Amino acid sequence: MNQISATDDTVLLDLMRKGDQQAFAILYNRYKGVLFTHAYRKLRDWEEVKDIVQEIFSGLWAKRETLEITDNLNAYLFKAVRYKIINLIARKNTASIYVDSFQSFLTTYADNTDHLVREKMLCSIIDAEINNLPPKMRHVFELSRKENLSHKEIAEQLNITEQSVRSHVKNALHILRLKLGMFLFVALLLNK
């Protein structure tokens, strides 16, 4: 073993290509420490560093028969660490973007949903109170507020005076203001 451990990387790579596990173990022990240190300086996370170094050496063993290292092994391994780190950071950034986007969606969706629920409840309350108006007043009010007809158009359609239309709308608003309170009254006017 002492004779093999002193052998240079090229010879060890050739032996490893032929399936020599001892040569692979020597290369692993020779480079794992410096690769751990190099990766840790960039990531500051031992678990991620261990995964990266393990992936690199697992890949080295899995591709041993077809492996073509044009630089020296040292340069090859450091490039492999750099690419793994870049890929890890890119995945983290992508995941972070998705998480932020999803969180923003959830917040917006919750706000919109809450708003829609409140708006629907408010409309139900208003509609119920409009339905409680006297029939003629309710009809005039609905033509004014829901169908957006002018007082003149309502008067012609119902064969009553414009003054009578104004009076019905005014009285309906007064009743609704008392029943619904000022807040709902303002909301009613804004919905028009």
Side-chain angles (χ1 to χ4, degrees), residues 93-149:
N93 287 342
T94 301
S96 177
I97 289 168
Y98 282 125
V99 167
D100 291 347
S101 175
F102 187 65
Q103 184 62 41
S104 175
F105 167 76
L106 287 178
T107 302
T108 303
Y109 180 77
D111 288 347
N112 286 343
T113 303
D114 186 47
H115 174 73
L116 291 173
V117 167
R118 282 185 280 138
E119 184 177 337
K120 192 171 185 176
M121 286 175 55
L122 178 61
C123 286
S124 295
I125 292 168
I126 291 170
D127 286 342
E129 291 303 326
I130 289 172
N131 286 333
N132 288 334
L133 292 172
K136 182 88 167 182
M137 184 184 296
R138 181 180 73 234
H139 188 58
V140 170
F141 185 79
E142 286 175 340
L143 290 173
S144 171
R145 293 303 192 250
K146 290 185 177 180
E147 295 185 28
N148 294 316
L149 297 178

Side-chain angles (χ1 to χ4, degrees), residues 14-61:
D14 286 338
L15 290 170
M16 186 186 77
R17 281 188 186 103
K18 296 174 186 168
D20 188 326
Q21 292 179 356
Q22 186 181 10
F24 174 74
I26 292 168
L27 289 173
Y28 176 78
N29 289 325
R30 185 176 287 175
Y31 287 103
K32 72 176 180 180
V34 293
L35 295 177
F36 269 101
T37 303
H38 177 67
Y40 186 76
R41 279 191 215 129
K42 305 289 185 200
L43 295 175
R44 301 282 183 208
D45 184 324
W46 280 114
E47 292 303 313
E48 289 176 345
V49 169
K50 284 190 329 192
D51 289 345
I52 285 175
V53 173
Q54 175 142 3
E55 283 178 34
I56 289 170
F57 280 103
S58 295
L60 194 65
W61 179 256

